[in-house]
């Protein structure tokens, strides 16, 4: 096969250690189905909830099976390698052309994975380190938008430590700024996991407790 005809080898990176692990699996399955096999060679790369990197046997397998049965690998941070290295001591690695990160939430969308890929010298789909980090932290993103004159909806940021230390003060602060219902979510996660619509003070406390399970900032 000539250089012009060679398929682009795309590492589809999914799973991960965040609370949005299962959401990532569904997204990755859609991407693997959508990649044109005439143009791309898909390389599924699963990360377990414990943080183990696994290379799957093929894009057609169901992702949970890939996560259970794949060979353990690690991403090389050497930009001259751009490959997945096996963890069984054998030489060589699986070369990649580009990475499609489909990890949602912490350790995937927050700039950490993007930093690793930058270090490895691998092109990847999506925003870079700074854009990913800002976009994942909704509090910081809203503050920067305000500085830039971009309208944002009203919000209040609550630190988990403050909520645990003085919940009544936090309840008063929320109710002073908003009328019910209000939406409560972790500040550094996606838009579904850990999120609650609270219609009253009775629902506000449990909603803050739930969000606090997923992050230091709410």
């Amino acid at each position: 096969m000539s250089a012009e005809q060679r398929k682009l080898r795309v590492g589809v990176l999914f799973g991960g250690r965040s609370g949005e692990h299962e959401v990532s699996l569904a997204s990755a399955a859609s991407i693997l189905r959508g990649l044109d096999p005439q143009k791309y060679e898909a390389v599924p790369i699963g990360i377990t909830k414990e943080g183990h990197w696994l290379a799957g046997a093929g894009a057609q397998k169901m992702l949970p099976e890939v996560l259970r049965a794949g060979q353990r690998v690690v991403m090389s941070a050497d930009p001259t390698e751009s490959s997945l290295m096996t963890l069984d001591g054998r030489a060589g690695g699986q070369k990649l052309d580009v990475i499609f990160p489909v990890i949602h939430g912490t350790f995937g969308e927050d700039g950490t994975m993007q930093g690793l890929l930058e270090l490895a010298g691998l092109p990847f789909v999506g925003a870079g380190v700074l854009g990913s980090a800002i976009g994942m932290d909704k509090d910081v993103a809203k503050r920067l938008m305000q500085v830039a004159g971009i309208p944002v909806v009203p919000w209040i940021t609550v630190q988990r430590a403050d909520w645990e230390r003085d919940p009544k003060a936090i309840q008063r602060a929320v109710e002073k700024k908003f009328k019910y219902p209000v939406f409560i979510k972790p500040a550094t996660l996606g838009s579904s996991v850990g999120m609650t619509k609270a219609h009253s003070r009775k629902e506000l406390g449990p909603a803050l407790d739930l969000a606090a399970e997923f992050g230091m900032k709410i």
Side-chain angles (χ1 to χ4, degrees):
M1 182 178 289
S2 68
E4 291 76 18
Q5 295 173 317
R6 189 179 73 85
K7 295 179 183 179
L8 198 69
R9 184 171 289 168
V10 181
V12 180
L13 193 57
F14 57 87
R17 294 160 54 196
S18 86
E20 298 184 83
H21 179 96
E22 283 74 18
V23 181
S24 171
L25 301 187
S27 298
S30 297
I31 290 167
L32 288 167
R33 285 193 299 267
L35 286 173
D36 186 346
Q38 300 299 317
K39 297 180 179 179
Y40 306 106
E41 178 187 349
V43 180
I45 308 165
I47 300 180
T48 68
K49 291 181 179 180
E50 295 75 31
H52 300 309
W53 289 50
L54 306 174
Q60 76 280 3
K61 291 187 177 181
M62 293 183 64
L63 290 174
E65 293 178 5
V66 171
L67 281 172
R68 287 195 297 268
Q71 181 184 45
R72 285 191 62 184
V73 295
V74 65
M75 175 72 70
S76 170
D78 185 337
T80 65
E81 291 288 343
S82 298
S83 63
L84 296 171
M85 312 301 292
T86 62
L87 289 179
D88 59 6
R90 290 182 296 176
Q94 187 170 24
K95 292 284 187 178
L96 300 168
D97 296 312
V98 62
I99 291 288
F100 200 139
V102 202
I103 297 177
H104 297 300
T106 315
F107 307 119
E109 287 183 297
D110 57 359
T112 51
M113 184 61 67
Q114 289 73 17
L116 173 60
L117 296 174
E118 289 277 11
L119 191 65
L122 267 170
F124 56 90
V125 176
V129 176
L130 181 59
S132 298
I134 292 172
M136 179 61 22
D137 191 317
K138 278 64 178 179
D139 173 51
V140 172
K142 288 177 183 293
R143 294 177 189 275
L144 291 176
M145 289 180 192
Q146 280 190 328
V147 171
I150 300 172
V152 294
V153 298
W155 87 98
I156 183 172
T157 299
V158 174
Q159 299 294 333
R160 183 170 69 187
D162 294 336
W163 164 244
E164 292 173 347
R165 183 176 60 252
D166 194 347
K168 290 185 177 180
I170 298 301
Q171 289 175 338
R172 289 193 297 268
V174 171
E175 291 172 346
K176 181 179 179 180
K177 190 174 183 69
F178 300 109
K179 293 181 179 180
Y180 289 105
V182 295
F183 287 93
I184 300 94
K185 70 177 301 297
T188 55
L189 213 58
S191 300
S192 56
V193 175
M195 188 182 77
T196 307
K197 182 179 182 181
H199 300 83
S200 64
R201 174 178 286 197
K202 183 179 179 180
E203 296 180 356
L204 178 63
L208 284 161
D209 286 337
L210 175 63
E213 294 180 11
F214 295 95
M216 301 288 289
K217 190 161 56 171
I218 307 163

